[in-house]
């Protein structure tokens, strides 16, 4: 036993400096990742909640990919300036929202706002919707979850490859060292460790902490100003071009222009109201659509991505039918993520 231990020590002592440096760097980087992961998950043992931020309306303080940890708090203790996690009172988001309190209202509700948003959220947050107050922010550790959430398989694949390289680099001995029968076994062990870490990390961060939006609840600019004796309405934050043709069955495109300074995140929502008996439907993988009478709610597909600030996106998969021959008629109104849009 002593001879075997001495042989192992001698073998490690004889490693070249290049191998020692490589192992030290890889172990150091993996240790940083492990520390951040523990920092993001350990407080859950105390009953705290974790949210992987998947949108950027709290920039620059809270960024996409950060994990925000919140602890329960009595809503009566909350004051303006604190960041809270809450259930969307407007009902647009199924995920928790992370925004800052800008005002505590007389009725006990909270007016909230994203730091990067021009306007406060239009729907006050009732006390019962408050999940917790922000306590700890772990930067960037949830990026892989965001890449999967957004369908960015290239970025996630690159992350997986880098992880595999780091895990391999942390092994001091070359794979080729030893008998031929042991080389494939060592390579398989490293590959298995990589897969276990990635899959386990994904399940822990996605299922254990969840994903949430630092995004609009239903942000609108409802203010108006008097100027030169006339009533001036604020400029619309978005525009919609309805380009469908056909009397009883219309096909074409719907182009959405984002004129605000904040991008509409993936899975953005467009609402409109038909004027007659139109019924809308979608081709497969074109998103989701629901209709209640003349009111229609469309949610973009993952592959369509966001609508960047001052950018646009095109819905190409909508078909509208009408018994009365009004299929192509332009709807009465549109709203992007709750914000009214101009019709062009």
């Amino acid at each position: 036993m002593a001879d075997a231990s001495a042989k192992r020590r001698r073998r490690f002592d004889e490693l070249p400096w290049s191998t020692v440096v490589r192992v030290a760097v890889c172990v150091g980087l993996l240790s940083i990742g492990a520390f951040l992961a523990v920092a993001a998950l350990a407080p859950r043992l105390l009953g705290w909640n974790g949210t992987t931020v998947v949108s950027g309306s709290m920039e620059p303080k809270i960024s996409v990919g950060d994990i925000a940890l919140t602890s329960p708090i009595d809503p009566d203790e909350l004051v303006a300036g604190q960041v809270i996690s809450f259930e969307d009172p407007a009902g647009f988001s199924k995920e928790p929202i992370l925004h800052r309190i800008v005002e505590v209202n007389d009725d006990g509700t909270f007016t909230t706002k994203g730091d990067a948003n021009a306007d406060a959220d239009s729907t006050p947050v009732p006390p019962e919707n408050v999940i917790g107050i922000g306590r700890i922010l772990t930067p960037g550790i949830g990026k892989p979850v965001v890449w999967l959430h957004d369908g960015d398989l290239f970025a996630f694949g690159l992350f997986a490859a880098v992880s595999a390289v780091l895990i391999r680099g942390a092994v001091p001995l070359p794979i080729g060292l030893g008998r031929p029968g042991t080389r494939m076994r060592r390579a398989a062990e490293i590959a298995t460790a990589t897969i276990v870490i990635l899959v386990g990390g994904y399940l822990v961060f996605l299922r254990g902490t969840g994903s949430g939006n630092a995004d609009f609840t239903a942000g609108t600019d409802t203010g108006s100003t008097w100027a030169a004796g006339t009533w001036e309405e604020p400029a619309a934050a978005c525009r919609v071009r309805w380009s469908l043709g056909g009397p009883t069955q219309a096909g074409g495109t719907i182009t959405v222009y984002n004129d605000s300074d904040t991008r509409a995140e993936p899975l953005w929502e467009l609402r409109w109201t038909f004027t007659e008996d139109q019924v809308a439907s979608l081709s497969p993988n074109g998103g989701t659509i629901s209709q209640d009478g003349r009111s229609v709610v469309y949610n973009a597909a993952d592959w369509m991505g966001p609508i960047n600030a001052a950018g646009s996106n095109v819905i190409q998969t909508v078909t509208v039918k009408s018994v009365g021959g009004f299929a192509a008629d332009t709807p009465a109104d549109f709203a992007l993520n709750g914000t009214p849009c101009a019709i062009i």
Side-chain angles (χ1 to χ4, degrees):
M1 180 68 69
D3 290 342
S5 177
K7 288 180 180 180
R8 283 197 296 269
R9 287 197 301 271
R10 184 164 58 251
R11 186 170 62 181
F12 281 98
D13 290 341
E14 293 172 356
L15 290 174
W17 274 106
S18 59
T19 300
V20 173
V21 172
R22 179 251 297 171
V23 171
V25 170
C26 292
V27 169
L29 292 175
L30 290 174
S31 298
I32 292 173
F35 172 78
L36 292 174
V38 171
L41 295 175
R44 290 181 58 82
L45 300 175
L46 302 176
W48 291 19
N49 293 301
T51 296
T52 303
V53 179
V54 296
S55 61
S57 69
M58 283 296 289
E59 296 276 5
K61 297 291 185 181
I62 302 175
S63 301
V64 174
D66 293 348
I67 289 185
L69 295 167
T70 62
S71 66
I73 189 173
D74 185 342
D76 292 338
E77 300 178 14
L78 293 172
V79 297
Q82 294 173 324
V83 174
I84 59 172
S85 174
F86 56 90
E87 297 176 358
D88 182 7
F92 290 115
S93 172
K94 296 179 180 179
E95 303 291 349
I97 293 174
L98 198 72
H99 270 184
R100 192 179 304 279
I101 299 173
V102 294
E103 185 178 358
V104 179
N105 304 313
D106 293 338
D107 60 358
T109 62
F110 305 97
T111 299
T112 54
K113 175 181 177 295
D115 290 351
N117 294 343
D119 304 311
D121 302 327
S122 65
T123 307
V125 180
E128 59 269 21
N129 282 41
V130 175
I131 298 173
I133 184 173
R135 298 292 188 185
I136 297 176
L137 189 68
T138 308
I141 194 67
K143 281 287 188 181
V145 174
V146 176
W147 293 329
L148 285 176
H149 179 274
D150 294 344
D152 192 345
L153 298 182
F154 174 79
F156 185 81
L158 184 62
F159 163 74
V162 171
S163 299
V165 169
L166 290 176
I167 293 172
R168 169 64 188 94
V171 178
L173 298 179
I175 288 180
L177 187 65
R179 297 187 305 275
T182 65
R183 297 174 185 175
M184 289 303 297
R185 186 175 71 244
R186 185 172 291 124
E189 289 171 352
I190 293 171
T192 301
T194 303
I195 293 172
V196 169
I197 290 174
L198 292 178
V199 173
Y202 171 78
L203 292 176
V204 168
F205 282 116
L206 186 63
R207 303 301 180 188
T209 64
S211 60
N213 297 307
D215 207 346
F216 296 104
T217 53
T220 56
D221 182 358
T222 56
S224 302
T225 58
W226 288 96
T230 60
W231 182 259
E232 294 184 357
E233 295 290 343
C238 52
R239 292 168 294 150
V240 175
R241 185 184 301 277
W242 179 267
S243 303
L244 277 74
T248 58
Q249 179 167 320
T253 61
I254 305 173
T255 305
V256 186
Y257 299 87
N258 181 8
D259 296 326
S260 71
D261 57 1
T262 303
R263 80 173 190 169
E265 299 296 336
L267 305 182
W268 44 269
E269 175 190 272
L270 185 68
R271 291 174 176 256
W272 67 81
T273 305
F274 281 131
T275 57
E276 300 294 343
D277 65 346
Q278 299 104 311
V279 176
S281 61
L282 290 171
S283 62
N285 198 32
T288 60
I289 198 167
S290 60
Q291 184 168 346
D292 182 8
R294 296 182 178 182
S295 299
V296 181
V297 180
Y298 169 82
N299 288 101
D302 281 338
W303 60 265
M304 296 177 68
I307 308 179
N308 293 323
S312 63
N313 211 319
V314 180
I315 304 171
Q316 300 175 328
T317 58
V318 177
T319 299
V320 178
K321 296 182 179 180
S322 168
V323 176
F326 308 103
D329 284 11
T330 303
D333 55 65
F334 290 94
L336 174 63
N337 289 346
T339 301
C341 301
I343 301 174
I344 58 175

